[in-house]
Amino acid sequence: MIKKNFPIPIYYQIIELIQEQIEKGELKPGDSLPSEREFAEKYQISRMTVRQAFTQLVNNGYLHRLQGKGTFVAEQKIEQTLHGLTSFTEDMIARGMEPGSELIHFEIIPATSQIARQLAIKEYGPVYEMKRIRLADDVPMALETNYISANLIKGLTEQIVNQSLYAYIENQLNFRIDHASQIIESSVANQMESQHLHIQKGAPVMRIQRNTFLQNGTPVELVKSSYRADRYKFMIQMKR
């Protein structure tokens, strides 16, 4: 219920009302909302106020607009915590989702100077380069490029990569993956990301570089990923 004689601004009450309906499941992903005019007439408020609330909900990822069709409830974002080192497969299983990968590139290449430095190997040394589309319930979530030393992690095949890379490294090769560092920055989708993630070119993405290390400090993996900003968010807990 919208209360006009209330200290909380009306546009913010609209935001809270719609967010609550989404969180309770009264509004589901894909459901259409009334037009700004219909919403304004229903609650006897200005269309400008409704537009302000809808725009904020779009910016916050609760709604999305389709040109000429209206405003709809968006798919809710997957939340990943940043206080532990887990694989994409482990993250999706923990959320009750079906993880998947579509391998679009796999070959051994000579390491560039930058890749060699990140993996602590000689320049031009052999590295696996693999590009995968990471899926959750068959929906593209991320475009991921991995670089791994072929002299360290031996025997990788397309079949292994299509399953769980971390499981192979730890269970089959008996290496212990210990820690990683990550850099996260915002960007916009290029043509390749647009094509493989099913988003518009220029749509917001989160670019992540992860350097993963074994227990003895040896770099085992360099990963460069682009995550859909409309479907993914990261959460970190901090203690003083």
Side-chain angles (χ1 to χ4, degrees), residues 31-171:
D31 285 354
S32 63
L33 269 71
S35 67
E36 292 174 0
R37 179 183 57 79
E38 291 170 335
F39 204 97
E41 289 177 355
K42 178 179 179 180
Y43 292 103
Q44 295 297 297
I45 54 181
S46 73
R47 288 183 63 179
M48 184 65 69
T49 300
V50 177
R51 183 176 296 117
Q52 183 181 8
F54 279 19
T55 298
Q56 188 64 52
L57 286 163
V58 169
N59 293 338
N60 291 346
Y62 283 91
L63 304 178
H64 69 97
R65 290 190 175 104
L66 291 177
Q67 187 69 32
K69 294 186 178 180
T71 305
F72 300 84
V73 179
E75 293 284 348
Q76 296 307 293
K77 296 183 180 183
I78 295 172
E79 182 178 282
Q80 179 182 339
T81 58
L82 293 178
H83 57 74
L85 177 55
T86 55
S87 69
F88 181 88
T89 299
E90 292 166 338
D91 287 336
M92 295 306 103
I93 291 174
R95 285 159 180 76
M97 305 182 78
E98 181 68 28
S101 291
E102 181 183 338
L103 185 65
I104 58 177
H105 175 80
F106 181 87
E107 68 173 322
I108 294 178
I109 64 169
T112 64
S113 58
Q114 182 188 32
I115 293 172
R117 184 171 63 254
Q118 299 279 355
L119 294 178
I121 61 175
K122 292 182 179 180
E123 188 174 359
Y124 307 122
V127 296
Y128 298 102
E129 179 186 62
M130 59 201 85
K131 291 183 183 293
R132 294 181 289 177
I133 303 170
R134 308 313 301 264
L135 309 166
D137 290 343
D138 292 325
V139 177
M141 291 291 169
L143 179 62
E144 183 178 275
T145 304
N146 301 60
Y147 298 97
I148 296 175
S149 170
N151 288 330
L152 177 65
I153 304 301
K154 298 179 179 180
L156 273 186
T157 65
E158 293 188 17
Q159 182 179 4
I160 291 169
V161 173
N162 273 323
Q163 296 171 359
S164 177
L165 186 58
Y166 278 19
Y168 174 76
I169 292 172
E170 293 189 314
N171 300 334

